[in-house]
Each structure stands twice: as structure tokens, then as C-alpha cells.
Amino acid sequence: MFLISIVVRIAIRFAMAGVALTSMNAFAQTQGLLCSTRSELIASLNLVAHEHAVGLIGDHLIVSHSNLDRVKIFNISDPSSPELVHTLERHFAPQQIRVMNSTVLFMNTHGGDGLVMYDFSDPRQPVPLSSVSADTHDIEMNGEIAYLTQGNAGLTIYDFSDLSNPVFLGNYFRNTPGSVGSVERVGDYLYMTDGILGMKLLDISDPVKPVVVEEFSTDSQASSVHRFGDVLYLITLDQLIIYSIADPRHPVPIAINPLPWPRGGLLRLGDRIYLACGQSGVWVFDVSEPVNPTFVRTYAPEVRSTYIAANDELLVVVDPYPGVTIYDLQAPLDTGLLSRASEGASTRTVAVDSGIAAVLEIGTGLRLYDTTDPSNPALLSTLSVPSLGSAMQIANEVLYIAADTQGLQVIDIKDPASPIHLGQVDTNGSAKDVVVDNAFVYLADGGMGIKVVDALQINSSGVVGSIDTPGVASGIDLVDDTLYVADGNGGIHIVNVSDRSSPVVVASNETLDFAYDIEVVDGVAWVAAGEEGLVAFDVSDPANLTKVAEYDPYIDMGYIKVRVVGQTAYVADAFWGLHVIDLQDNELLTRVASFRVDGGADDIDVIQNEVYIASRDSGLHIVDLTDCPPEPCLADVNGDGQLSPTDFTAWLFAFRTLDPAADQNSDGQLTSTDFTSWVSNYNAGCEF
């Protein structure tokens, strides 16, 4: 309590005014392979600036800030507590940092000095060496000859034999229709990216007169190239292309991997490469067999990783807004995967209730598993039923299957060891989703709209009501007597079903390209909208359907199913697997976790802390989400993973700079009550 007696008057003096928060951008910590574990996350630096690039030299971290025009240097010999040791007074904000022995090269692509060189023999007192004008994207050395890529200004060659006095030797490819951005040397050859023109191979047997000997077109803009031994990695806007360069004059493509939108660099440590993929975090591949790169995991899925740096022990990730995060690469990996079932089978949909998981497999039919121990699911029975289902629901020990062109299939699973097929209802459409409510079953019937079925008449006369929709009814959710419809290319609709025989559309919004699934919680409809991501509409007033939030992955992902539990959305991605999105702040939806599934996810179900994922390519996956994301420790304002008096200093600074971390009572305001709330949070303690 000594904190109160020492600082209460100071705190109140700064807090009395009360300031409204304009954004909620506090760093989100997460756990498991799905998330960034607390054991992995060593430290985070929210430097109240727009961090842009990082570099590592020995036990020092270099960080550039574009909006402060500064470069800061931290001692990270104790990475859990970075110590600021120097700030370069020069006004510049490099977008790339390259370390060559004891020399650090700062590259700038936005005017001013394009290349600035410092001697970092003593990182606490760097010594400026020289600078080169014109924007600089990348640099490659050939002995004492330096090749600088300068966008539309082409490739510029300098003599760097005296770093304090670079000598201009020539310029090539000026005014290229592309943009010279990245370069790698292999013997007498230079690989150079040229934007929309792909990649060029240059002969530099005469170092100051490069000659183009071959060009490689790419489907999208070539952004960077990286060489490790006899392997070359070419990054485009959406692909990682791997070449064998055993013969550097004749590179041979050996693998192509689709990628989310890459935003920064690639680096290799041992048999793994680390790739900064923007809002998808840092992707890690095992490339011990270059012809068959294997996805391993992601780091920092909750941030927009723009640039990275690493050594054998640490990974440093830059997000322009939360700041810089440092991860322990030696921490043990917890995959989060509890178990798998139906491995190798094509599972289309899954439903879980009371310890029973129903899985529909193409070619096999229905499988029922005992999942009371989700780490060891036990097969109870199988049943031959039409297996092209898209969704299922269990209600009162009965399984209802939206079975595509086979309509509604109904299975009695009271005895899961001996299920009984009760019957089916032909809906004349393509049943995509099913919701059960007491005596009625509602179906999204594809191009035939919505069907209402009497649950007591599972036969040809079971359909008691219907309404066509303009699109392809793909997902539905029911709240009281209102049905919410994700109508494919027809947008979303609100349907009054109080009269089951005559449903009525009362409102529509057709702004989405394609709505796959919908779930409504507390007056908000969350829509899985394919490549448009996750979109939310306020449906409390049907006369005024308003989009209130969206999570746009900025890349071509296939968000096809959504489940909402509390303030968290679980999304099935047809191309990736599972994504977990924090919904607490509509203005800043945050993806806090991801789980990669071979072949993507077709359906999901969420039971307490477990997520069940059905994949048409790799069967059923059961994932443990315990403490992912964990409850935030609000009192740990400096994010060092412990509570100490320094957290008060951090709170005070956060308050004065309008940092949302100072909002300790989460009311969206900064007032004197936040100090007393911080004290309460501090005294309550946290689990680290």
C-alpha cells in the first residue's frame, strides 16, 4: 500500500480533468500455438510511436520510429527488460535496417537520405560514417562494390572501399516500368526484383556493368528475394516461390506456397524460415526439404507484423501500432491440439453435445464419438446416411443434418452406440444449414430459400412453410420468432417466423459480396463473409440495418462459418483453419489466435474450452483453447509479466499520453477513478 501513500496526490492531480479515449489499441497477449504463449512472449515495447523497422546487433536492439523521426537503441541482454541506451539525434526514419559486421545501414524509401551508415562498434555511442541520397530499398555487397536498389530510380552501384566516402560508379534500369526493390548476389550473378515485371537475373562478371541474362515473370508483384545456400526464396504479393540455384545461371523452381499478404522480410534460422505476413502474423516453415516446405506455426497472430529480426534465441516482431514484441524461440511449443479423429477422412460437418461428437464423412456417413475425454475420442458407432451434409445440430438426443441435395436427415442418437435413422424430408433445394427450436426445424435451403419443417412429421409432408430469398440461403440463426439469414450473394435478411406457415422478410441488407453464415448475439449479427472477413450488423432495429464492425483479413481467406461465445468469435476458414477474434471493441476487432488445419476448415463447434474442427481433407481436430486469450492483467501496465511499483510509473505515463492502458475500469474514459481502479487491480494480483 506504500504506492498509495506516495503517489495518490500526484495521480489525482493528473487525473482530475478526465479525457475520453479515442482508440483502444492496447497490446493483446495470447496463449498456445493458437496464440502467443506467456512463456514465449518475453516483452512488449509500446513506444507511443509508429515503429517501422528493427535490427539486432549483438545484445542490442535497434528500432526506428517513422512518426518521431528517431532511431532508438536498447540493451536486451535481459530481453524481459529492454534498456534504452541511446537515441540517434539525426532526423530520419528508416524502413529497413541492415547489419553488416559492426556497421549498421539504415535505408529510407521516403525521401531524404536514402542510405545512412553508422559504426556500431559501441552501440551506446554509434558513430556516423556517411550517407547516400535517393531512396534505398535494399543493398547487396560484392567485395567492396555495393548494389543499391532504388525503386523507379533503378539499380545504383557504389564503391564502398571507404565507408566514410562512398563513390558513385553507375546507375542502371532507371525509370523501369516496375520498381527495383530487392537484390541478392550468387557468385557472378545478381537476382533483382522489379515489381510487376517479376525478377531479373543479372550477370555481374563485370561488377560495374550488369547485364540482364534472364527474366522471370510472376503472377503478382515481386517484392523481395532472399538467398540461403543453394536455395533462393522469391516473395510476391501472394506467393513464396522457392528456386534451386545449384547452378545460379539456371535457377529451377522447386516449390510454390500461397501466402497471405506479406508485409516485411524473410529470415532463416537453421531449417526454418520466418516470414512477416502483415495481419497474419509471422509464418514459420520447415525447409529442411526445400522442395516440400512444411508449415510449422505462426507467431503474433494478433498483430500486423511488418518487419522482423531474430537470432538463435529471440524473435523480434514490429507492428506499427502496438509496437515491438520479443519472443523466446527456445520456449517449449504447446500445439493446443488435444486429439484427432477420422484422420485422412473427408469430414464435412461436426456437432457436439453432452460428450457426444457427431461427424459426417463423405463416403462413410455418420460417425459418433465419445468425447467426454476430448484428448482421446472413442468411436461409438457408424451409420450409413447421405454424407454431403453442410451442417448439423443436436437437440433432445436427436441429430438433424442439413444434407445438401438430400434435404433434412433425422437420426435418433439417444443410444449413441446404436443410432437410428428416423427419416428424411426432401426440401427440393440444397440444405446448407439447420436450426432446431422446439417443434420446428428451420433450413437454409440454398437457392430455394428458407424451409420450415414440423419436427413431428419427418416425411414428405413435413415442410409447413417456406419463403424464397434472392440469393443462396447458406446460414441461419434463430432468436425467438426471428430468423436471420446469410443469403450468399443476396446479403442478409431478417425473417419473421411467428407464423411458421408464412414467413415474412422484414428487413434486408445486400451490401456483402457473399454471406456464408450468421450468428446473432445481443442485437448484433456476426456474418462470415468469405474474403470480406467477419462483418457485424446492428439488427436491433430491423428498419435500419447498420454495419457496425468488420474484421478484414486483407488477404484472400475463406470465412465460411462463425460461432460466437461471449465476446469471442470462432471462425472456420476454408483455406486456413480456425481463427479466434476478440469482439470487445467494435472499432478494433483483433484476431488473437489461429490454428492451421491441412485443407482448411469446413465446420466448427465450440464446447466450453474446446473447438471441434471438421476438415474435408484431414478429418476432425479437437483444439484446447483454455486461457486463450487469457484474462488481461490490467495492472501490469508496462507489460513485463510482473506487478511492481514501475507499473504505477507506466500508468501515469499512459494517462498523460492518452494511452488506453490507463483506462483501468474499462469505461472508455480517463478519470481519477482509473487510479483507484489501478490500485484495486494491483492489490488483486494477476496470474502470470
Side-chain angles (χ1 to χ4, degrees):
M1 295 301 293
F2 81 99
L3 286 174
I4 298 179
S5 62
I6 294 175
V7 301
V8 65
R9 286 175 295 177
I10 301 174
I12 292 177
R13 183 179 66 181
F14 284 112
M16 287 302 292
V19 184
L21 296 181
T22 57
S23 64
M24 296 295 290
N25 59 355
F27 176 78
Q29 298 184 17
T30 51
Q31 188 166 7
L33 171 63
L34 295 160
C35 333
S36 305
T37 67
R38 293 187 179 190
S39 62
E40 291 174 332
L41 181 60
I42 299 175
S44 59
L45 299 173
N46 188 341
L47 303 175
V48 198
H50 191 293
E51 288 77 26
H52 211 123
V54 289
L56 286 170
I57 181 167
D59 55 6
H60 286 79
L61 172 66
I62 308 167
V63 183
S64 75
H65 305 267
S66 62
N67 65 337
L68 295 183
D69 286 341
R70 289 288 189 275
V71 171
K72 295 191 176 186
I73 303 159
F74 296 85
N75 184 324
I76 56 170
S77 53
D78 177 3
S80 66
S81 183
E83 174 195 3
L84 178 64
V85 296
H86 190 74
T87 299
L88 294 182
E89 295 303 324
R90 186 179 191 129
H91 288 268
F92 72 131
Q95 285 79 48
Q96 294 274 14
I97 298 174
R98 177 75 64 84
V99 177
M100 296 188 343
N101 299 318
S102 62
T103 302
V104 175
L105 297 87
F106 297 100
M107 289 166 276
N108 180 23
T109 61
H110 300 309
D113 290 331
L115 175 66
V116 179
M117 291 180 278
Y118 275 80
D119 181 347
F120 264 67
S121 298
D122 180 2
R124 294 174 177 267
Q125 292 294 329
V127 177
L129 295 173
S130 61
S131 63
V132 172
S133 60
D135 296 353
T136 301
H137 296 254
D138 197 8
I139 185 171
E140 179 69 322
M141 299 298 296
N142 181 9
E144 295 177 342
I145 302 298
Y147 299 90
L148 279 61
T149 59
Q150 298 183 321
N152 293 329
L155 180 72
T156 304
I157 306 174
Y158 281 86
D159 180 346
F160 271 18
S161 56
D162 179 1
L163 292 180
S164 65
N165 184 32
V167 178
F168 174 79
L169 298 177
N171 176 263
Y172 297 83
F173 313 110
R174 179 175 289 275
N175 299 321
T176 172
S179 179
V180 177
S182 179
V183 65
E184 279 281 357
R185 183 180 71 88
V186 184
D188 288 336
Y189 294 95
L190 208 61
Y191 293 89
M192 182 182 75
T193 63
D194 197 10
I196 59 174
L197 299 184
M199 180 174 70
K200 288 181 169 64
L201 176 58
L202 310 180
D203 184 334
I204 55 169
S205 52
D206 182 344
V208 297
K209 292 184 179 179
V211 177
V212 176
V213 294
E214 193 168 352
E215 298 186 9
F216 303 85
S217 62
T218 52
D219 292 338
S220 61
Q221 179 174 320
S223 55
S224 65
V225 61
H226 310 266
R227 177 258 183 129
F228 302 99
D230 290 338
V231 179
L232 191 77
Y233 300 89
L234 174 63
I235 300 174
T236 73
L237 290 184
D238 55 12
Q239 290 181 329
L240 172 63
I241 307 173
I242 303 178
Y243 292 86
S244 169
I245 53 172
D247 178 358
R249 172 61 184 84
H250 299 99
V252 178
I254 56 176
I256 299 177
N257 266 55
L259 291 175
W261 186 28
R263 292 292 303 274
L266 176 149
L267 55 87
R268 179 169 179 170
L269 295 173
D271 288 333
R272 292 186 173 185
I273 59 173
Y274 297 75
L275 178 62
C277 290
Q279 194 155 338
S280 294
V282 178
W283 284 28
V284 185
F285 290 89
D286 184 328
V287 291
S288 54
E289 297 181 24
V291 72
N292 184 32
T294 303
F295 176 83
V296 177
R297 62 166 298 167
T298 61
Y299 282 92
E302 68 279 6
V303 306
R304 288 179 294 175
S305 60
T306 53
Y307 293 97
I308 55 177
N311 55 32
D312 290 338
E313 297 179 352
L314 304 176
L315 172 68
V316 182
V317 182
V318 174
D319 183 316
Y321 300 102
V324 178
T325 50
I326 304 175
Y327 296 91
D328 182 358
L329 293 180
Q330 305 299 320
L333 177 63
D334 175 10
T335 66
L337 179 66
L338 284 176
S339 61
R340 293 182 61 181
S342 299
E343 291 189 48
S346 182
T347 59
R348 294 292 302 274
T349 181
V350 60
V352 186
D353 183 69
S354 302
I356 301 297
V359 179
L360 200 62
E361 295 181 5
I362 295 178
T364 302
L366 177 67
R367 286 177 176 261
L368 296 178
Y369 290 91
D370 180 346
T371 57
T372 50
D373 178 3
S375 66
N376 186 30
L379 180 64
L380 297 173
S381 60
T382 62
L383 183 66
S384 179
V385 296
S387 56
L388 293 178
S390 299
M392 299 189 292
Q393 183 175 338
I394 300 173
N396 300 318
E397 299 180 315
V398 176
L399 176 67
Y400 299 85
I401 306 173
D404 207 76
T405 56
Q406 299 298 312
L408 173 68
Q409 304 286 328
V410 183
I411 315 294
D412 183 342
I413 59 170
K414 183 178 298 183
D415 179 3
S418 183
I420 300 171
H421 189 204
L422 297 178
Q424 67 182 61
V425 177
D426 184 1
T427 59
N428 296 318
S430 179
K432 303 293 185 186
D433 198 8
V434 58
V435 173
V436 183
D437 178 48
N438 296 323
F440 295 94
V441 182
Y442 302 86
L443 290 165
D445 203 26
M448 300 299 291
I450 301 301
K451 301 292 172 60
V452 184
V453 175
D454 185 340
L456 301 179
Q457 297 185 54
I458 305 303
N459 51 48
S460 58
S461 61
V463 177
V464 297
S466 65
I467 185 170
D468 197 7
T469 55
V472 179
S474 302
I476 53 176
D477 195 17
L478 183 71
V479 179
D480 298 326
D481 287 332
T482 302
L483 192 70
Y484 299 86
V485 183
D487 195 34
N489 57 352
I492 64 170
H493 309 292
I494 300 178
V495 181
N496 186 320
V497 292
S498 56
D499 180 355
R500 272 73 176 180
S501 65
S502 184
V504 177
V505 174
V506 297
S508 298
N509 184 297
E510 300 180 3
T511 59
L512 298 174
D513 289 341
F514 205 98
Y516 287 89
D517 195 18
I518 189 168
E519 184 144 330
V520 178
V521 177
D522 296 332
V524 177
W526 297 94
V527 183
E531 295 180 3
E532 293 181 79
L534 182 67
V535 184
F537 293 87
D538 184 343
V539 294
S540 57
D541 178 7
N544 183 29
L545 296 187
T546 305
K547 183 165 71 173
V548 293
E550 61 181 325
Y551 175 78
D552 184 349
Y554 296 104
I555 51 178
D556 293 340
M557 287 188 166
Y559 286 25
I560 58 172
K561 296 280 187 176
V562 59
R563 300 289 179 266
V564 177
V565 180
Q567 293 294 312
T568 305
Y570 304 87
V571 183
D573 183 335
F575 303 131
W576 171 268
L578 170 71
H579 300 296
V580 183
I581 300 174
D582 184 349
L583 308 180
Q584 295 185 64
D585 182 359
N586 281 353
E587 295 184 2
L588 188 65
L589 302 185
T590 304
R591 181 164 60 93
V592 295
S594 290
F595 187 81
R596 174 74 165 173
V597 175
D598 290 341
D602 289 79
D603 194 16
I604 56 174
D605 203 357
V606 182
I607 302 296
Q608 295 182 338
N609 293 321
E610 287 94 39
V611 179
Y612 294 71
I613 308 169
S615 170
R616 69 180 64 200
D617 286 350
S618 56
L620 176 68
H621 303 249
I622 305 176
V623 179
D624 182 10
L625 284 172
T626 303
D627 297 328
C628 177
E631 289 296 319
C633 180
L634 295 178
D636 182 24
V637 183
N638 62 10
D640 64 357
Q642 58 185 339
L643 295 182
S644 70
T646 59
D647 286 304
F648 170 72
T649 305
W651 176 84
L652 189 59
F653 179 76
F655 186 90
R656 297 181 67 179
T657 57
L658 307 185
D659 188 328
D663 182 24
Q664 291 285 302
N665 57 13
S666 302
D667 65 353
Q669 301 283 322
L670 294 184
T671 68
S672 59
T673 59
D674 285 303
F675 171 70
T676 55
S677 295
W678 177 82
V679 172
S680 297
N681 294 336
Y682 182 92
N683 289 335
C686 296
E687 293 184 7
F688 292 106

